[in-house]
């Protein structure tokens, strides 16, 4: 009897914490929660509420009527957890079997695995070890297959390992118990998201250490994890304080042991949770009083333990009488009904499969036809776009070629114009010489007028040439001024003539200076432009526009 009480305490609280995958699991995974009630905000609470149970029952009926199987599974799981936490095992057993039948109907393997796990706990409370181990192992087998498929994280296996560890420990098989507990630690330390708090494992490990005669080390560990439960899970102190009472009793500190046993009972009574553990603690207090020679209190605690044990675990009690007899029949009947429904649905499903196949073929054909149309339309647009782009490129090349030819033609006209200026200047010079050397020269006033007219004509000709050059080579002068802002007007004239590829001799005639002066101007220009001797001045000017 003590064995099943101890299992009931240890496992129903932490086991679901280890199995919880709050963010990675589907809606059905919410069935693996601590055995608590749910308030109106769907938050966990440790208090039993008939109003909440009634609300959940109504929700389940509505969900079944609306065909919402997933939510129905979630609601049944909540009811099962509430009944289990408050020792209504028959009702819990029925809820979990209903969950299993619904999950099997929709082939939800994760929910099936968790239902097997919950049913295993109920079997273990009543010392049906073979059935408990069988359901734990079947749940573990399903989970391992889901783990291979990447549908659940590795730490989902912790719940099963933890349950088997406790089951084998209470059965006296310490090596197997320690092996499964070590598996829990390995999974925890492997990391990942939503790893459960290690304090639950440490509590179990400390109890194991105490039974291995490492009592002081176990007590230090229990006191170290106590603040965590005070802050995050006060109800679990029912278990932890019972462990600490065992440890102090083992050290011979009877008063300390009595203090922690009474704290465990007090927390259980105030929270209305872990009522299944109260008989266990009363039994421990009875043994403690007996060792202290307080036979009156020892008898009283033993009597209270016996009464509570019968209420919670005796198959003749009102709560548990139908648990394995009626509930097993209930399960068999439900399974038979489920099989009958499946057979009735088989023909309909086959017909629906045929219709679905035809619909799928029609849909596939339609999609292929649409794909072909879209493919050819896109290809047509692509071809059209490429043709337009190619045509635009060709037009651009023709326009560039046309502009280049026009530019070269105008520069040739400029060169011809410059050459004509040179010839005209030479004619003026010859006329000037003739007038100077004539036997009967004209008067000085007339000569000055002729010379002035020739000079004005030369200046006017150069201005016309410069205007025409700028109109043709507008970007050249713009880039030249931007790159070399300190260049003089005379050097600009030299740059224009050099760009037209005039020789030094022609440049000298146009500017009215000597060849040496032209070379000097070229040298100064190269120096201002920071050109090396190896740099070609003509090509550099060409690069400016």
């Amino acid at each position: 009897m003590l064995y099943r009480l101890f299992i009931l305490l240890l496992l129903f609280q932490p086991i679901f914490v280890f199995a919880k995958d709050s963010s990675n699991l589907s809606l059905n995974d919410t069935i693996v929660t601590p055995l608590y009630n749910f308030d109106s905000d769907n938050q966990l609470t440790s208090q039993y509420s008939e109003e909440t149970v009634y609300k959940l029952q109504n929700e389940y009926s509505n969900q079944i009527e609306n065909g919402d199987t997933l939510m129905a599974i979630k609601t049944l799981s909540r009811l099962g957890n509430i009944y289990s936490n408050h020792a209504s095992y028959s009702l819990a057993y029925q809820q979990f079997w209903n969950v299993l039948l619904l999950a099997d109907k929709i082939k939800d393997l994760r929910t099936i695995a968790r239902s097997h796990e919950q049913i295993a706990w109920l079997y273990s409370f009543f010392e049906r070890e073979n059935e408990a181990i069988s359901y734990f192992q079947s749940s573990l087998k399903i989970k391992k297959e889901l783990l291979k498929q990447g549908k659940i994280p590795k730490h989902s296996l912790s719940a099963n390992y933890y349950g088997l560890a406790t089951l084998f420990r209470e059965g006296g098989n310490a090596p197997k118990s320690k092996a499964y507990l070590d598996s829990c630690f390995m999974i925890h330390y492997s990391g990942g998201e939503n790893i459960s708090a290690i304090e639950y494992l440490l509590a179990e490990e400390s109890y194991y250490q105490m039974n291995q005669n490492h009592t002081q080390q176990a007590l230090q560990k229990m006191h170290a994890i106590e603040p965590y439960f005070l802050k995050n899970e006060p109800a679990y102190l029912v278990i932890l304080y019972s462990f600490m009472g065992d440890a102090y009793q083992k050290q011979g500190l009877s008063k300390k042991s009595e203090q922690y046993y009474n704290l465990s009972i007090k927390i259980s009574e105030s929270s209305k949770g872990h009522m299944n553990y109260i008989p266990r603690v009363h039994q421990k207090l009875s043994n403690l009083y007996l060792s202290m020679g307080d036979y009156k209190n020892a008898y009283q605690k033993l009597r209270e333990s016996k009464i509570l044990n019968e209420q919670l675990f005796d198959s003749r009690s009102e709560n548990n009488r139908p648990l394995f007899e009626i509930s097993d029949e209930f399960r068999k009947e439900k399974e038979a009904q489920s099989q009958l429904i499946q057979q009735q649905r088989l023909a309909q499903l086959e017909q629906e499969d045929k219709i679905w196949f035809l619909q799928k073929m029609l849909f596939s054909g339609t999609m292929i036809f649409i794909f072909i149309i879209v493919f050819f339309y896109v290809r047509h647009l692509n071809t059209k776009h490429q043709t337009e782009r190619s045509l635009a490129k060709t037009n651009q090349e023709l326009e560039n070629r046309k502009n280049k030819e026009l530019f070269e033609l105008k520069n040739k006209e400029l060169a011809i114009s410059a050459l004509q200026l040179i010839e005209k200047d030479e004619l003026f010079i010859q006329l000037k010489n003739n007038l100077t050397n004539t036997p009967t020269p004209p008067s000085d006033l007339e000569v000055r007028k002729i010379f002035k007219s020739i000079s004005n004509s030369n200046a006017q000709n150069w201005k016309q040439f410069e205007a025409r050059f700028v109109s043709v080579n507008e970007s050249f002068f713009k880039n030249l001024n931007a790159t070399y802002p300190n260049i003089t007007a005379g050097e600009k004239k030299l740059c224009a003539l050099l760009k037209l590829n005039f020789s030094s001799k022609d440049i000298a005639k146009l500017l009215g200076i000597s060849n040496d002066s032209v070379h000097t101007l070229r040298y100064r220009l190269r120096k201002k432009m920071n050109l090396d001797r190896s740099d070609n001045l003509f090509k550099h000017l060409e690069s400016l526009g």
Side-chain angles (χ1 to χ4, degrees), residues 77-340:
S77 299
R78 293 178 180 179
L79 282 169
N81 290 334
I82 292 173
Y83 291 138
S84 295
N85 197 47
H86 295 86
S88 298
Y89 304 124
S90 178
L91 293 174
Y93 188 79
Q94 293 184 14
Q95 310 311 313
F96 293 145
W97 267 109
N98 275 334
V99 169
L100 181 58
L101 294 175
L102 288 175
D104 183 67
K105 181 179 179 181
I106 62 175
K107 305 303 179 185
D108 187 341
L109 293 179
R110 281 191 286 191
T111 301
I112 291 173
R114 283 157 178 76
S115 298
H116 282 203
E117 182 185 321
Q118 291 166 317
I119 293 169
W121 288 119
L122 292 175
Y123 277 124
S124 69
F125 300 157
F126 289 84
E127 299 183 359
R128 296 180 62 164
E129 297 179 29
N130 292 334
E131 288 90 340
I133 293 173
S134 174
Y135 275 97
F136 273 131
Q137 294 289 6
S138 64
S139 172
L140 191 60
K141 182 179 179 181
I142 296 172
K143 287 185 179 181
K144 286 182 177 179
E145 186 61 32
L146 291 172
L147 179 62
K148 288 181 182 179
Q149 299 173 11
K151 294 182 177 179
I152 63 173
K154 187 176 181 180
H155 61 266
S156 297
L157 307 180
S158 295
N160 301 72
Y161 289 142
Y162 187 85
L164 288 167
T166 308
L167 193 62
F168 282 118
R169 176 170 55 76
E170 290 302 308
N173 193 335
K176 279 193 174 182
S177 173
K178 188 63 167 62
Y180 282 114
L181 183 60
D182 289 342
S183 296
C184 291
F185 276 109
M186 288 177 62
I187 291 175
H188 179 87
Y189 288 121
S190 65
E193 295 182 359
N194 303 314
I195 294 296
S196 56
I198 196 173
E199 283 77 9
Y200 295 98
L201 292 177
L202 293 175
E204 176 66 20
E205 185 182 48
S206 66
Y207 193 83
Y208 177 84
Q209 290 173 337
M210 181 188 65
N211 288 333
Q212 297 299 313
N213 296 320
H214 301 294
T215 309
Q216 187 58 37
Q217 183 181 356
L219 268 172
Q220 290 175 355
K221 190 171 292 184
M222 291 175 189
H223 280 293
I225 62 178
E226 181 185 6
Y228 172 84
F229 293 110
L230 283 169
K231 179 180 179 181
N232 299 286
E233 195 59 64
Y236 187 76
L237 293 172
V238 174
I239 301 172
L240 185 63
Y241 286 156
S242 175
F243 287 174
M244 294 170 76
D246 293 344
Y248 281 118
Q249 184 179 7
K250 199 164 188 177
Q251 286 187 333
L253 301 175
S254 300
K255 289 298 181 182
K256 275 275 189 181
S257 177
E258 180 186 11
Q259 176 187 353
Y260 278 102
Y261 285 149
N262 284 324
L263 279 174
S264 177
I265 294 173
K266 183 178 180 180
I267 293 174
S268 178
E269 290 175 349
S270 64
S271 65
K272 303 301 180 184
H274 296 294
M275 295 184 298
N276 43 47
Y277 197 63
I278 297 176
R280 171 79 171 176
V281 181
H282 282 297
Q283 177 67 49
K284 292 179 180 181
L285 273 172
S286 176
N287 294 337
L288 178 63
Y289 288 137
L290 186 62
S291 67
M292 296 169 60
D294 187 351
Y295 302 110
K296 181 179 179 181
N297 280 330
Y299 173 76
Q300 180 64 27
K301 290 298 177 183
L302 182 62
R303 186 170 179 274
E304 290 179 13
S305 174
K306 184 175 182 298
I307 292 173
L308 290 173
N309 263 325
E310 290 177 353
Q311 290 177 352
L312 293 173
F313 298 106
D314 195 335
S315 60
R316 294 170 297 178
S317 70
E318 182 179 352
N319 284 340
N320 300 317
R321 187 181 301 116
L323 178 59
F324 294 111
E325 291 78 11
I326 298 177
S327 292
D328 280 347
E329 292 300 324
F330 170 82
R331 172 178 58 83
K332 293 176 182 178
E333 181 181 351
K334 286 294 182 181
E335 289 176 344
Q337 291 177 359
S338 177
Q339 291 178 358
L340 180 61

Side-chain angles (χ1 to χ4, degrees), residues 22-86:
S22 60
S23 64
N24 293 330
L25 301 183
S26 67
L27 178 62
N28 298 329
D29 296 320
T30 58
I31 69 170
V32 188
T33 54
L35 300 182
Y36 286 121
N37 199 357
F38 284 76
D39 60 17
S40 59
D41 294 326
N42 290 330
Q43 301 297 320
L44 295 174
T45 172
S46 61
Q47 295 184 353
Y48 181 86
S49 169
E50 291 185 0
E51 180 182 355
T52 303
V53 171
Y54 179 74
K55 178 182 177 182
L56 290 174
Q57 289 173 342
N58 284 337
E59 287 181 3
Y60 170 71
S61 299
N62 293 333
Q63 289 156 359
I64 289 296
E65 184 177 348
N66 296 330
D68 193 348
T69 305
L70 292 177
M71 290 304 299
I73 288 174
K74 180 178 178 181
T75 303
L76 281 179
S77 299
R78 293 178 180 179
L79 282 169
N81 290 334
I82 292 173
Y83 291 138
S84 295
N85 197 47
H86 295 86

Side-chain angles (χ1 to χ4, degrees), residues 463-478:
K463 287 182 179 179
Q464 292 177 359
F465 170 79
E466 184 179 19
R468 292 179 64 186
F469 183 87
V470 170
S471 66
V472 176
N473 300 275
E474 182 179 356
S475 61
F476 172 75
F477 274 114
K478 183 178 180 181

Side-chain angles (χ1 to χ4, degrees), residues 497-510:
L497 295 173
L498 288 172
K499 189 175 187 303
L500 294 175
N501 206 14
F502 277 86
S503 66
S504 297
K505 181 180 178 182
D506 292 336
I507 292 173
K509 291 179 180 180
L510 277 171

